[in-house]
Amino acid sequence: MSNLSNILIQLSVGIVPLGVAYLAFRSATDANKKTQQTALMQAERHAELERSKVDADAFVRAKTIYEDALTQMEKQVARLQGQAAQVSADLVSEQTSAAAMREQISQFQAQIRALERTVIALRAQLIAAGLSPVAISETTGPFMIGHPPRPRTAE
């Protein structure tokens, strides 16, 4: 029996280091897995951080481009508003000038009608005095002003 107990003692003394070795192996394997998982998570975080940096840089560039375009459009709108105001002022000036010219034309036409009446009256006086008036084409030139000439009446 002592042989058996010796074997059992030796076996138990041999099993303890094997158990400790197994536990150490298991702990090392678990630690390795955790280290790999941590490394993977850190790599993913790093990749996500890099993507965020790239996205942030792209956002800043897009924002700068947008703001520059907006500034240019605001300048263009201001320029167009200035031009529209100038065109509006020019239109008012032209309308005022056109109205003044229409008024002058109306006055000239009234003066021409008055002069034509005077000429007709003077012709009638010349004819009544027994004198022959000058032909209409000699007084007006090649173009007629106002009404066509009346045929002469023989007296």
Side-chain angles (χ1 to χ4, degrees):
M1 212 179 224
S2 88
N3 228 357
L4 186 62
S5 46
N6 258 349
I7 292 178
L8 282 176
I9 291 175
Q10 285 178 0
L11 188 62
S12 62
V13 170
I15 288 179
V16 170
L18 283 176
V20 170
Y22 175 75
L23 287 176
F25 171 76
R26 189 85 168 127
S27 293
T29 304
D30 288 345
N32 240 358
K33 284 181 184 176
K34 286 189 181 192
T35 302
Q36 287 177 350
Q37 287 174 348
T38 303
L40 277 173
M41 286 176 24
Q42 285 178 345
E44 287 174 6
R45 283 188 203 140
H46 183 69
E48 184 62 32
L49 181 63
E50 288 300 316
R51 280 193 296 273
S52 293
K53 285 181 183 177
V54 168
D55 289 347
D57 289 344
F59 175 77
V60 168
R61 283 192 305 274
K63 181 180 174 189
T64 301
I65 290 169
Y66 171 77
E67 288 172 346
D68 287 346
L70 188 60
T71 301
Q72 292 299 322
M73 287 194 152
E74 286 171 346
K75 287 179 184 177
Q76 189 173 7
V77 166
R79 196 170 37 248
L80 287 174
Q81 286 173 338
Q83 289 174 348
Q86 182 62 43
V87 166
S88 179
D90 290 348
L91 178 62
V92 168
S93 175
E94 291 296 324
Q95 287 173 338
T96 302
S97 296
M101 286 182 191
R102 279 193 296 276
E103 180 62 29
Q104 280 184 331
I105 289 170
S106 178
Q107 289 173 358
F108 288 150
Q109 287 173 338
Q111 287 175 352
I112 289 170
R113 286 191 299 273
L115 288 172
E116 286 175 343
R117 286 191 301 273
T118 302
V119 167
I120 291 171
L122 289 174
R123 266 184 202 281
Q125 288 175 3
L126 284 173
I127 291 172
L131 297 173
S132 176
V134 177
I136 291 176
S137 64
E138 293 176 20
T139 60
T140 63
F143 302 105
M144 296 300 296
I145 298 176
H147 305 290
R150 294 185 185 165
R152 291 190 195 186
T153 55
E155 275 193 52

